[in-house]
Amino acid sequence: MLTPLSWLKDFADFPDDADLLRATLDDLGLVVEGVDVVGDGLRDVVVARIDEIHPIEGADRVRRVVIEAGDGPLDIVCGATNFAVGDFVPLAPVGSTLPGGFDIARRKMLGVTSNGMLCSGRELGLGDDHEGLMILSDPKAEPGVGIVDVLGIERDVIFDLAIEGNRPDAWCVRGVARDLAARLGLQFRDEAPSTVASSPIPTQQLLSAEVRDTTLCPRLGLSVLSGVRVTSSPRFIIDRLEKAGMRAINNVVDASNYVMLELGQPTHPYDLERIEGSGLIVRAASRGETLVTLDEHERELGVAGKSLGDQGIDIVICDATDTVIGLAGLMGGVSSEISEATTSVLLEAASFDPITVMRTSRRLALRSEASARFSKGTDPAILEIAMARFAELLALSCPDLSMAEPWVQPNDTPARTVIEVPAERIASLLGLNLDQVEIASLLEPRGFSLSESDGVYSVTVPTNRGDVRGGARGIADVIEEIARSYSYSKIPRHQLAWPEPGAVSARQRMRATLRDVVLGLGGSEAWTSSLVDSGELALLGIDEPEIVVTNPLTEGESRLRRSLLPGLLRSVGMNLERQQDDVILFEIGAVFVHPAVSSGRWARAGSQGGSEVAMPDEVDTITVVFAHDGADATTAVAALRMLSDSLGLEGVEIDQKTRRTAELVGLHPTRSGLVRDRRTGVALGVVGEIDPQTASRITPALSGRRVGILSLDIGRLGDTAKATRRSELAQVVSRFPSSIFDMAFVLADDVVAGDLAKALTAAAGELIESLSLFDVYRGPGVEAGSRSLAFRLKLSAEDRTLDDTDITAVRDACIAAARELGATLR
Amino acid sequence: MSEIDLQDHVDLVIAEVARAEHSRDLDAIESAHKAKNSPVLAARRALGAVTDEEQRRELGRRIQGCSDAITAAIAARREELSAIEREASLASDALDLTEVLSSAGSFPSRRGHAHVVSKTRASLEDVFVAMGFTIKEGPEVETDWYNFEALNLPPGHPARDMYDTMYLDLGEAETVLMRTHTSPMQIHLLEEAVADQSLPLHVAIPGRCYRLDTPDARHLPVFHQVEGLVVDKGITFGDLAGVIETFTAAYFGPDIHSRLRPAYFPFTEPSAEFEITCTICRGEGCRTCSKTGWIELGGCGMIDPAVFDAVGIDATEWSGFAFGFGIDRCAQMRHSIADMRALIENDLRFSRQF
C-alpha cells in the first residue's frame, strides 16, 4: 500500500525523518517494503522560455537553443525536438543536481557551450515521459520561476507498506497514521468531515432498498447526491491518488477512491438516473446470472468453483427490477457507470462478508483495491463518515452539490466485542509485567477501551478490528495488540531450558551413516525435483497409477516421482556432457507410491478433519548411480557390501530370479537383482546396472557406458523386523591362530555362486570365521556352461588350535554340500 | 516392368526380409530397395510414359503400395531382430552378482561432497539438538486438515492465498496437497502428544515443502524448511525471543543478532517475523538488506488458541511457540549463493566447493 507522508500529516504532525518513520513502521508490523522520496533535487530547476532554435553545423541529433530563464539569454545544446519557440520548459542550470544525483555542468559540444540542461519528465523524476522535454502549460510558468512552485510539487516520502491480514484497521492512511501517532506519542487529529448542503428529502424517501441476506451484507449505507457536475478533480486529489498508485478518472470516481485510501471504506457511486426503479436490492446471485463489469468482461455468477467449500455465493447489487448492476465488494457494472452526463449520484457504502468477497474474487480471478479491503474486513461503523467525506470532497469541484440525509440499515451503532483478559495471562504469555496504566496507554490511542475488575481486564474492541475474535481466542489477539504496541523489540528475552535432552532419531542416524559411507566411496549428493514430467512413469515402464498434480505450473512438474533414478541419470548425463570425471551421484529422498497400489496410510481430511483419505506411501530412499570410469554392476555390489557392513546388517543377499517388481524397472535384466534380507525375505532395494536402453532414453550421454546402481529403502533398512542387524553384544575373539585353506569348485552357470557360498558356510558349521570368493574362472579346463569358483575359508575355534582332523572334517562336509548343488571339487 | 512382375518382386523381397538373421542384412535389402535401379523406382520412372491420367494415377497408387509393403516388412523384421539381438546381448552380458569377488569394486580416490542444503540442514540440526530439541520428520504429502484447517486456516480463509498450494488428484478436490510448510507437523506431533499424554514437546522438524512458483534466483518450487515447536507450561514470548537469539548466534556466529517484528500467521498469536543482522554487511546497511542492516529469515509466534483447540489441548494450562524458516535460504546466505537454481542443477563443480 503506497502511503504518502504528506497525507499521513493530515492526521498528526509527523517528523520528516524518513529513516525514523521507516524503522517505527517496521516495528509496528506495518512493514516498509520500499521508500520513495519525490520532489528531491528539483529546488534549482526553473522555467525557461524557448526564444530561438538553431541547427549546429555537423550535427543532426542536437540543436542550439537560446532560452530565457530570468537572467538573460543562454545557449543550451538540446537533443529533443518536441518544442517550438515560445514554449516553456524546465531548465536544470549549471551547478544543479537532478534527482538520482546527476550533476549539471557547463559543457562544450561541437563548438557550442551548453549552459545547463532542458529536462524531460523522467529526468525530473516526475513520471515516465521520456519522449521529449516536459512542456509547461501552467499559467504560472514564467521564465525563472522555480518548477516546484509552478507544479505545486512538495518534497514527499512515499512508503510502500505491506499490511498484514490481521490489520484491517491499517488498510488506509488514517489507520496507519493512528498507529504511528500512538507509537510516537503524537496527537492524532480525527476531524469529522464538514457537512455539505443538505437536500430537503432524505434518501430513505427517494429510494427503495432491501438487503435480502444480512449475513452477506450486515450493514448498508446509501445517500443521494444531486447537483453533481462530472469534471476533473482538484489538483491535490489527483496528486494524492497518483502517489498512492491510482489513476485519476473524474471527480466522482476520484472522491470514492480517495475515501477508500484515506478511511479504508470502499464506496460505490452509481448514476442514479441509470438505476431502474430507483431502488437497490442486495442479495446472493442466482446460479448463472451474468453481469458486465466495469472492465467490460461478462461475468457468470452464482456458480460454485473448485476450491474447497466453495458454494458459489456471489453478493450482488441489483436495481429495483432485480437486475444485477454490480458485484458487491469487487466492481460495479457498466450499466450504471458514472459518465459526463451524470448529475445525480447514488452513493453506496456497505459492509460485506469478507470470506464471501474473498471467494468471489478468487473464483473470478478479479481483484480490486476494494476487494483487497473487503476481504480483510472493513469497519461497519465508518459508513456514515465515509459518505460524508465523499460529499465533502465532491463539493470541492461541484459548488451546487447537495446531499440527501443518508440511509443506513441497520441504523444502530454496530456492537463492539468485549474480551475478558486475565491480567496474569498477559504476563504469563509475554513474560512481561505491565500495569493497567501502561496497558491503557497502549490500547486506548488505538481505539480500544479498558476497565479492570478482580485482576481481569474488560477490553472493548473497536469496530475496525474485526480480526480480534470473540471469546477465549480473543485473549491472544488482545495480548498480541499489547505486545505489538509496546514493541516486540523491548520485550525482555529469556534463556529457556528444559530437562529433556535433544536427540536425533535412529532413522536420522542411519541416514547420516549411509550418506557418510557413500561420500567415502566418492559419491556426491544431488537434489533432484520431486515433481516430474507426465511421461516419467511411462519412460521407466512402470505400470502403476501416477500421482497427478491438479494444478501444475508446467507439464514437466505435473507428477510426483516414483523413482530417484531418472533425475539422477539426467544429472549424471549433464555432468558427463560438461566433461566431469569421477561422476558418482546419490540422492536421499522420498519417492511416492499411489495409494491404489501401496499399503498406504490414512489421514484426517475434509471440513473439520471429519473424514479420512488414503495417502500415498512416501518411501525414504537412497539411490546411488556409479558412472565413473570402470564402474559397472560389480561396483554397486561392492558398495552394497560396504553399506551393509557399516549399518551392521546381517544376511543381506542378492536375488536375481525375481524380476517383476516396480523397483527393478529400468535396471539391466541380467545384471541386476533385488537386495533381500536372508532371514525375513524382505526386499530392501536393488543393486546392479542400469538397463542401457533406459539409460540412453533418459540421457544420450550415457549410451555405451556401464552405469552401476544401488538403491535402498531406508525405512526397511531401519526396521529390525525387516532387516536383520548384527547383535550389539560383543563376541569373544579366539586367541588361537586361524586355519586358512582354499577350495575350488566347478559349478554350472545356472546355479548362482551365492547358493554355493551359503551351502559351504552352513557345512563348515561353527568353526567358520569367514568365507570369501577370490577367483572365478571360465575357459579351458572347465567345461562350457560352468565356471570354477575358488573360495578361501578361514576357520578357528575359541578354545584350541585346529588340527588336521578338524580341517578334513570341514573339507569333507563342504565337498558333500557342494555335491548337492551339482558342484565338483576341482 | 509390368505390374505382375512388380508384385513378384515385392514377394521376393519380403521373403528375403523374413530370412534376414541380422540387422546388417536388412540394411543391405533396404539400400537395394532405395537404389536408383531398384524395380520399384524403375516402375515409378516408367509412369511418366503412361498418357492416360486416370491410368497413371491408378498405377502410381499400386507402385506406392508395393513400396510401402517392402518398407513395412523391413521395419517389422528390424524390430523383431533388435529384440532378438537385445535378448542375445543381454544373455551374453549376464552376470551372477553373487559371483562378484571379495576384492571387487573400484572407486575414485577422491571423496564425494554432500549437498550444501543437506550440510546446512545437518549443522542446523546440530544446533537444535545442542539446545535440547528432538529432531522429527513428517510426510511431504498432507491433507487440508493438517496443512491448513487445524492451523486455523479454514477453507476460504484469506490467508490460504499466501500459500500457492499444489493440490493432488487424490480424494476430494483440494483435500490432498503437497505441504506448503513444515507447520502441519505441529498438528501431527500435538495430536500424538495428546494421545500419548506425552507433553511437553521440544522438537525441530526439517523437511521438504512445495509451492507453485516459477524458479528464480530466490525461489524454488521445491524447498526446505525447519520448524521449531515448544509446548510446555509457562512458555512466554520472551522465551521465544531468547531461543531465536540463541539459535541465531549459534548458527550464524556471535556477531549476528536477531530481532522480532509483528507479523501475521493464523496459527500463532502473537506472531512475528524474525530478522537477523545482514550477513553481507554485518548490519552496516547494504543493497541486500535495503540499507536496513537486517534481513528476514522466518516466521514465529506463540501457538494460537485455535490450534490448541483443534488438537484438544487446554490453552490455560499449556502454552508454547513455533518458528520456521528456510534451510535453502540459510545456505544461500551463509555461502553467498547468488542464484538458488544452482542448488538443483547438481553440477559437480558447484557441489565440490562445499
Side-chain angles (χ1 to χ4, degrees):
Chain A
M1 189 176 76
L2 297 173
T3 312
L5 175 58
S6 57
W7 203 340
L8 289 169
K9 283 183 174 181
D10 283 3
F11 295 93
D13 296 326
F14 293 113
D16 283 316
D17 184 344
D19 291 338
L20 168 79
L21 293 173
R22 175 185 196 148
T24 310
L25 289 164
D26 272 343
D27 194 61
L28 284 165
L30 304 169
V31 178
V32 180
E33 296 195 319
V35 180
D36 191 13
V37 180
V38 295
D40 242 6
L42 294 182
R43 198 160 309 152
D44 297 329
V45 178
V46 293
V47 176
R49 187 184 62 225
I50 308 283
D51 284 348
E52 298 166 32
I53 304 172
H54 302 286
I56 300 172
E57 204 174 313
D60 47 3
R61 295 253 182 93
V62 293
R63 297 183 295 176
R64 178 171 69 93
V65 182
V66 182
I67 56 111
E68 171 59 52
D71 298 324
L74 275 177
D75 275 354
I76 308 277
V77 177
C78 179
T81 55
N82 67 322
F83 54 90
V85 169
D87 280 348
F88 294 99
V89 295
L91 167 72
V94 171
S96 63
T97 304
L98 286 181
F102 183 62
D103 292 321
I104 306 296
R106 185 169 284 115
R107 291 173 65 195
K108 200 163 179 180
M109 275 179 279
L110 302 157
V112 181
T113 302
S114 185
N115 301 288
M117 182 172 123
L118 303 178
C119 306
S120 70
R122 193 160 80 184
E123 282 155 351
L124 298 176
L126 301 170
D128 286 335
D129 194 0
H130 199 52
E131 288 300 295
L133 300 186
M134 185 177 193
I135 309 290
L136 303 164
S137 52
D138 196 284
K140 276 185 290 192
E142 284 294 325
V145 176
I147 187 119
V148 174
D149 299 326
V150 174
L151 296 177
I153 300 168
E154 290 167 36
R155 179 185 181 275
D156 204 349
V157 182
I158 300 171
F159 298 101
D160 187 0
L161 304 178
I163 306 299
E164 298 280 9
N166 64 342
R167 293 299 307 281
D169 63 302
W171 267 96
C172 59
V173 176
R174 176 176 174 250
V176 171
R178 180 178 21 225
D179 206 14
L180 193 56
R183 171 61 70 81
L184 296 173
L186 301 172
Q187 180 67 41
F188 177 63
R189 284 189 297 268
D190 196 17
E191 289 153 18
S194 57
T195 48
V196 301
S198 172
S199 39
I201 310 170
T203 302
Q204 193 165 358
Q205 289 171 30
L206 294 169
L207 288 171
S208 65
E210 183 192 348
V211 176
R212 296 223 177 120
D213 185 337
T214 53
T215 53
L216 296 181
C217 177
R219 208 154 186 258
L220 173 69
L222 298 171
S223 179
V224 171
L225 296 111
S226 25
V228 174
R229 187 174 59 92
V230 177
T231 174
S232 60
S233 291
R235 180 76 224 173
F236 88 94
I237 292 184
I238 296 174
D239 188 43
R240 284 188 169 181
L241 290 179
E242 283 175 353
K243 281 179 180 170
M246 292 191 87
R247 217 156 37 91
I249 312 280
N250 57 48
N251 55 345
V252 177
V253 176
D254 294 351
S256 170
N257 286 334
Y258 189 102
V259 169
M260 174 177 70
L261 294 170
E262 185 172 76
L263 304 177
Q265 173 65 47
T267 56
H268 190 80
Y270 300 88
D271 184 334
L272 181 62
E273 277 138 45
R274 296 172 71 186
I275 297 178
E276 288 289 319
S278 296
L280 289 188
I281 299 168
V282 184
R283 61 168 170 86
S286 345
R287 194 187 161 86
E289 256 180 317
T290 59
L291 169 72
V292 178
T293 41
L294 282 175
D295 56 4
E296 292 175 353
H297 284 286
E298 190 183 62
R299 312 276 176 180
E300 193 186 9
L301 307 173
V303 180
K306 271 192 283 181
S307 88
L308 188 65
D310 183 354
Q311 296 170 324
I313 301 172
D314 297 310
I315 314 171
V316 289
I317 314 290
C318 304
D319 62 20
T321 71
D322 209 27
T323 304
V324 180
I325 58 168
L327 195 46
L330 279 154
M331 203 175 269
V334 287
S335 69
S336 54
E337 190 179 357
I338 301 297
S339 71
E340 287 188 5
T342 304
T343 56
S344 306
V345 164
L346 168 58
L347 184 69
E348 165 227 300
S351 300
F352 297 114
D353 176 54
I355 301 271
T356 308
V357 173
M358 179 78 192
R359 281 199 186 274
T360 299
S361 156
R362 203 182 296 168
R363 193 167 49 236
L364 301 179
L366 177 63
R367 281 175 172 74
S368 62
E369 290 278 345
S371 73
R373 287 169 174 81
F374 278 121
S375 52
K376 305 291 180 301
T378 50
D379 179 0
I382 207 167
L383 307 186
E384 293 88 341
I385 301 168
M387 288 189 286
R389 180 66 169 145
F390 174 88
E392 182 188 24
L393 290 168
L394 190 56
L396 298 174
S397 53
C398 302
D400 303 329
L401 189 78
S402 68
M403 184 187 196
E405 185 195 321
W407 181 21
V408 181
Q409 45 180 327
N411 199 20
D412 39 343
T413 319
R416 298 177 57 166
T417 311
V418 178
I419 312 281
E420 303 291 330
V421 185
E424 165 278 321
R425 281 291 291 284
I426 301 173
S428 68
L429 204 66
L430 296 180
L432 173 72
N433 281 305
L434 296 172
D435 62 27
Q436 186 179 350
V437 174
E438 286 171 295
I439 293 171
S441 74
L442 296 170
L443 291 182
E444 282 171 356
R446 293 175 169 89
F448 293 79
S449 58
L450 184 75
S451 65
E452 191 263 355
S453 156
D454 288 338
V456 176
Y457 296 115
S458 286
V459 179
T460 307
V461 181
T463 48
N464 64 359
R465 294 305 301 268
D467 59 299
V468 177
R469 296 163 289 181
R473 293 180 186 180
I475 296 173
D477 300 337
V478 170
I479 293 175
E480 176 178 73
E481 190 61 13
I482 295 169
R484 188 187 71 78
S485 310
Y486 179 75
S487 175
Y488 284 4
S489 48
K490 278 164 55 189
I491 295 174
R493 290 169 178 173
H494 176 249
Q495 293 303 316
L496 182 64
W498 50 83
E500 296 84 358
V504 296
S505 69
R507 164 87 68 96
Q508 289 152 4
R509 265 201 309 276
M510 192 170 75
R511 233 189 261 131
T513 306
L514 286 170
R515 178 179 284 113
D516 201 46
V517 172
V518 178
L519 289 173
L521 296 177
S524 283
E525 191 175 13
W527 162 17
T528 69
S529 180
S530 324
L531 302 165
V532 297
D533 192 84
S534 53
E536 192 97 335
L537 251 61
L539 181 73
L540 287 171
I542 297 180
D543 184 22
E544 277 182 16
E546 299 177 299
I547 302 176
V548 179
V549 179
T550 312
N551 53 340
L553 275 192
T554 67
E555 192 63 20
E557 297 172 344
S558 65
R559 302 292 188 275
L560 296 193
R561 65 179 174 193
R562 176 65 182 82
S563 165
L564 298 179
L565 191 55
L568 279 173
L569 287 180
R570 279 186 206 104
S571 295
V572 164
M574 179 271 294
N575 276 295
L576 291 174
E577 277 161 10
R578 294 181 184 177
Q579 278 100 36
Q580 296 307 298
D581 301 319
D582 301 340
V583 182
I584 304 177
L585 289 184
F586 73 100
E587 181 168 3
I588 298 177
V591 302
F592 304 85
V593 188
H594 197 283
V597 287
S598 63
S599 53
R601 69 191 163 95
W602 288 79
R604 282 181 78 174
S607 179
Q608 318 217 323
S611 55
E612 285 212 310
V613 62
M615 302 293 280
D617 243 1
E618 296 183 24
V619 186
D620 194 7
T621 305
I622 176 168
T623 300
V624 195
V625 171
F626 301 92
H628 57 291
D629 289 338
D632 66 1
T634 61
T635 320
V637 171
L640 171 65
R641 288 174 182 158
M642 284 188 233
L643 276 176
S644 8
D645 187 43
S646 308
L647 296 174
L649 297 176
E650 210 168 55
V652 167
E653 59 181 23
I654 300 169
D655 164 14
Q656 284 179 272
K657 292 187 193 102
T658 313
R659 301 250 34 120
R660 296 185 61 80
T661 157
E663 280 68 28
L664 281 168
V665 170
L667 267 59
H668 195 299
T670 58
R671 295 172 72 87
S672 62
L674 286 176
V675 176
R676 262 192 212 289
D677 182 280
R678 185 177 302 152
R679 184 179 63 88
T680 65
V682 171
L684 305 174
V686 294
V687 65
E689 236 166 77
I690 311 283
D691 186 336
Q693 209 171 357
T694 309
S696 57
R697 221 183 284 151
I698 289 174
T699 165
L702 291 175
S703 54
R705 184 183 271 269
R706 287 197 189 274
V707 179
I709 176 181
L710 173 62
S711 182
L712 297 168
D713 178 333
I714 299 174
R716 290 184 180 176
L717 292 183
D719 181 348
T720 46
K722 292 184 172 131
T724 311
R725 303 291 277 271
R726 209 158 43 212
S727 161
E728 284 190 345
L729 304 178
Q731 306 288 310
V732 176
V733 175
S734 174
R735 291 183 296 111
F736 300 94
S738 306
S739 301
I740 298 173
F741 65 95
D742 298 343
M743 299 176 89
F745 293 94
V746 175
L747 181 67
D749 280 340
D750 57 1
V751 183
V752 295
D755 286 352
L756 179 56
K758 218 191 303 180
L760 297 177
T761 309
E766 317 193 303
L767 296 182
I768 191 91
E769 194 181 299
S770 72
L771 173 124
S772 57
L773 179 68
F774 70 90
D775 188 41
V776 178
Y777 173 75
R778 284 182 176 82
V782 174
E783 63 182 290
S786 298
R787 75 285 205 203
S788 160
L789 301 166
F791 292 95
R792 175 156 298 170
L793 288 84
K794 204 181 276 183
L795 305 180
S796 63
E798 212 178 291
D799 53 353
R800 66 183 198 280
T801 303
L802 298 178
D803 57 23
D804 281 353
T805 326
D806 295 315
I807 292 168
T808 308
V810 169
R811 265 183 66 95
D812 291 349
C814 284
I815 291 166
R819 199 175 299 127
E820 296 282 312
L821 292 170
T824 52
L825 188 68
R826 189 162 170 233
Chain B
M1 190 183 269
S2 79
E3 206 181 302
I4 294 167
D5 291 346
L6 191 59
Q7 187 58 51
D8 284 348
H9 166 71
V10 171
D11 294 345
L12 226 74
V13 173
I14 288 180
E16 199 185 339
V17 166
R19 282 195 305 274
E21 286 296 325
H22 200 279
S23 50
R24 276 194 307 272
D25 305 341
L26 289 177
D27 294 344
I29 298 171
E30 190 163 35
S31 64
H33 172 58
K34 285 182 178 162
K36 271 187 190 156
N37 57 356
S38 83
V40 174
L41 279 173
R44 192 167 286 159
R45 271 196 303 275
L47 268 184
V50 181
T51 46
D52 184 303
E53 196 174 320
E54 184 123 329
Q55 203 184 347
R56 191 173 66 225
R57 217 176 281 154
E58 175 59 26
L59 209 55
R61 260 198 292 275
R62 289 193 194 172
I63 295 172
Q64 187 58 44
C66 291
S67 176
D68 289 349
I70 292 175
T71 316
I74 293 174
R77 183 63 185 156
R78 201 182 281 286
E79 206 166 298
E80 278 170 32
L81 282 181
S82 87
I84 293 166
E85 280 161 18
R86 176 167 150 87
E87 280 309 309
S89 108
L90 289 177
S92 74
D93 211 17
L95 174 66
D96 175 359
L97 295 180
T98 64
E99 204 182 276
V100 174
L101 302 185
S102 307
S103 57
S106 72
F107 296 96
S109 57
R110 61 168 145 183
R111 191 178 159 84
H113 292 256
H115 196 283
V116 63
V117 169
S118 76
K119 279 194 138 165
T120 307
R121 174 177 160 166
S123 16
L124 291 168
E125 285 178 6
D126 286 348
V127 171
F128 284 121
V129 168
M131 288 169 73
F133 287 84
T134 299
I135 310 296
K136 296 279 188 182
E137 291 166 356
E140 293 171 22
V141 181
E142 276 293 1
T143 66
D144 59 314
W145 166 257
Y146 290 100
N147 197 77
F148 290 129
E149 188 160 0
L151 289 166
N152 194 28
L153 280 144
H157 193 290
R160 278 204 188 191
D161 266 13
M162 299 189 304
Y163 306 92
D164 298 309
T165 311
M166 221 177 263
Y167 292 98
L168 298 180
D169 282 354
L170 294 173
E172 278 178 57
E174 297 196 356
T175 57
V176 182
L177 47 88
M178 301 310 290
R179 66 174 170 192
T180 58
H181 48 182
T182 40
S183 306
M185 276 303 284
Q186 292 183 28
I187 306 301
H188 285 291
L189 294 170
L190 290 173
E191 278 182 348
E192 273 171 35
V194 169
D196 314 342
Q197 298 188 311
S198 59
L199 285 177
L201 205 55
H202 315 96
V203 289
I205 311 127
R208 196 174 265 207
C209 307
Y210 301 78
R211 299 221 180 140
L212 282 177
D213 222 337
T214 307
D216 63 27
R218 284 169 55 92
H219 303 91
L220 295 173
V222 180
F223 58 97
H224 301 87
Q225 271 190 351
V226 62
E227 184 93 1
L229 175 68
V230 170
V231 176
D232 207 333
K233 291 187 174 164
I235 299 293
T236 70
F237 193 83
D239 294 329
L240 166 62
V243 162
I244 298 279
E245 178 66 15
T246 305
F247 154 76
T248 303
Y251 180 73
F252 288 101
D255 56 339
I256 302 293
H257 297 284
S258 65
R259 70 171 190 186
L260 303 183
R261 60 166 174 71
Y264 172 58
F265 305 104
F267 38 99
T268 50
E269 191 87 355
S271 299
E273 198 78 65
F274 69 92
E275 296 177 305
I276 61 165
T277 315
C278 178
T279 51
I280 306 291
C281 62
R282 306 267 139 181
E284 295 289 311
C286 65
R287 271 161 59 111
T288 305
C289 60
S290 315
K291 295 182 186 148
T292 60
W294 296 93
I295 37 179
E296 204 176 291
L297 191 63
C300 62
M302 304 301 292
I303 310 284
D304 193 280
V307 173
F308 280 142
D309 286 349
V311 295
I313 290 176
D314 180 355
T316 60
E317 187 186 347
W318 300 93
S319 61
F321 58 76
F323 56 86
F325 56 90
I327 300 176
D328 314 330
R329 179 128 176 77
C330 283
Q332 182 177 37
M333 275 164 20
R334 186 148 171 177
H335 301 287
S336 290
I337 298 168
D339 193 329
M340 282 257 196
R341 284 168 291 194
L343 300 177
I344 45 173
E345 211 186 2
N346 302 319
D347 189 317
L348 282 169
R349 290 166 297 176
F350 180 75
S351 320
R352 283 174 178 152
Q353 302 172 75
F354 304 105

